[in-house]
Amino acid sequence: MGPLPDGRDSPSGHDVALIEDEQLRQLVALDPDGSLTLVEQILAEFDANLGERFAQLATASVEGDADALGRVAHALRGGCLQFGMVRAASYCATLEEHAKRGETSGCGELVGMVTSAVTESVQLIPARLQAIREAPAK
Amino acid sequence: MEPGAQISPATARDEAAGKHLPLRVVIAEDEAAIATLLTLSLESAGYVVTSTSDGEAALAKILETLPDVVLLDMMMPKMDGTEVVRRMKETPATSSIAIIMLTARSDDSDVWDGWASGVNYYLTKPFDLEAVVRCVGEVASMSRDAPISEEEDGR
């Protein structure tokens, strides 16, 4: 689990892998012709909404809006999980826990970690998809 | 699902109570990329899919089209999945439509709340796409086999 705003129980989020390939494999399978056309389209769709999600998280954190913080973190976590972005998903889960308890002070740093982890994952996924596509079948 | 594998349309339809009419599915999911992922998977299996991005739009589309199966995200803008289920259950025309709840939640109490409200099946993100397709066929089969009440018969 990620860090808490008040500094309690703050193990490194790097304990969790950035990306897990298992979810990416089923995305690769969406394109039976061996291209990555559909998966690239879907990831572009995910990417297109990220700016708005990040802005919503930042605003909710600054304004101390626990409901909005929890709702957006939850929505983002679902997408991250489905696309194998497990570290970002774990940060989102931590944000949700804080929001559920009404704790928003100090969440700004965690919002930054979510943003960085998602951004880094989105940048790395195309190469991972390519590697999975080119890997010999087991 | 293995790379290159495709879900057979015939298999999906045959699993739906042996009927050969394409099953109609309404998806309610506010993450557009996940909605697209589900739509592509279900359409490749022969389902007719309508996608919506919030609870109010989903309920309107459900009432308009009376689909065989509804895939509902738990947390959505405007109206959450639990409220959509409640309204479907209190409306005779939609009360027997099969419902699969999609969620990233992991809290057991949320799962129990979903079952208690009349959800037929619960899938937790990240979901396996093949399992979603199979699940849609199975709950539709159960729904179609269920006896139809006089109130619902006007569907």
Side-chain angles (χ1 to χ4, degrees):
Chain A
M1 200 52 68
L4 302 177
D6 60 4
R8 286 178 291 122
D9 182 29
S10 54
S12 166
H14 294 278
D15 293 345
V16 179
L18 187 64
I19 298 169
E20 267 183 9
D21 283 352
E22 188 54 39
Q23 289 307 119
L24 299 184
R25 284 195 187 92
Q26 65 171 338
L27 296 180
V28 170
L30 285 173
D31 283 296
D33 63 358
S35 73
L36 294 172
T37 310
L38 288 176
V39 64
E40 283 171 357
Q41 174 196 324
I42 290 167
L43 285 168
E45 207 168 1
F46 182 70
D47 196 16
N49 289 326
L50 287 177
E52 188 182 351
R53 298 274 197 220
F54 294 159
Q56 288 169 337
L57 282 179
T59 302
S61 173
V62 168
E63 294 180 352
D65 185 344
D67 283 348
L69 192 66
R71 195 170 55 248
V72 179
H74 179 85
L76 191 55
R77 179 162 67 95
C80 289
L81 286 169
Q82 199 60 44
F83 299 120
M85 305 176 192
V86 287
R87 188 184 299 165
S90 77
Y91 291 152
C92 288
T94 306
L95 260 184
E96 275 186 79
E97 287 172 17
H98 292 304
K100 206 170 182 177
R101 293 195 294 263
E103 300 170 358
T104 58
S105 62
C107 279
E109 187 182 348
L110 200 46
V111 167
M113 292 166 76
V114 168
T115 303
S116 297
V118 173
T119 303
E120 192 181 349
S121 300
V122 166
Q123 286 169 353
L124 289 175
I125 281 177
R128 290 301 314 149
L129 291 169
Q130 196 67 35
I132 290 167
R133 188 178 74 86
E134 289 171 0
K138 287 180 184 173
Chain B
M1 191 158 56
E2 291 299 313
Q6 274 188 303
I7 300 152
S8 157
T11 301
R13 286 199 292 269
D14 289 349
E15 284 177 0
K19 314 268 179 172
H20 291 278
L21 292 172
L23 289 173
R24 293 159 305 134
V25 181
V26 167
I27 295 171
E29 165 64 60
D30 65 327
E31 175 54 67
I34 291 183
T36 301
L37 195 58
L38 289 167
T39 299
L40 289 171
S41 300
L42 291 167
E43 284 181 346
S44 76
Y47 299 118
V48 176
V49 181
T50 306
S51 183
T52 59
S53 60
D54 67 67
E56 280 182 7
L59 191 60
K61 190 55 72 177
I62 291 161
L63 289 166
E64 177 193 333
T65 64
L66 300 177
D68 298 285
V69 180
V70 174
L71 264 73
L72 271 182
D73 191 20
M74 172 74 102
M75 283 182 81
M76 287 184 291
K78 297 184 182 174
M79 186 187 295
D80 68 21
T82 308
E83 179 62 14
V84 174
V85 173
R86 192 186 68 74
R87 296 197 189 193
M88 285 176 67
K89 292 300 175 187
E90 70 182 18
T91 304
T94 58
S95 63
S96 66
I97 293 173
I99 302 167
I100 299 170
M101 193 73 93
L102 304 169
T103 184
R105 285 183 184 274
S106 54
D107 187 334
D108 284 349
S109 66
D110 294 319
V111 176
W112 283 113
D113 287 349
W115 288 123
S117 65
V119 169
N120 297 77
Y121 211 86
Y122 222 100
L123 290 171
T124 304
K125 297 172 189 172
F127 38 75
D128 176 88
L129 294 171
E130 211 170 42
V132 173
V133 170
R134 198 166 49 243
C135 183
V136 166
E138 285 173 3
V139 298
S141 169
M142 287 189 290
S143 175
R144 283 183 167 182
D145 288 344
I148 299 171
S149 70
E150 285 182 16
E151 277 185 317
E152 292 175 82
D153 214 10
R155 269 175 69 169

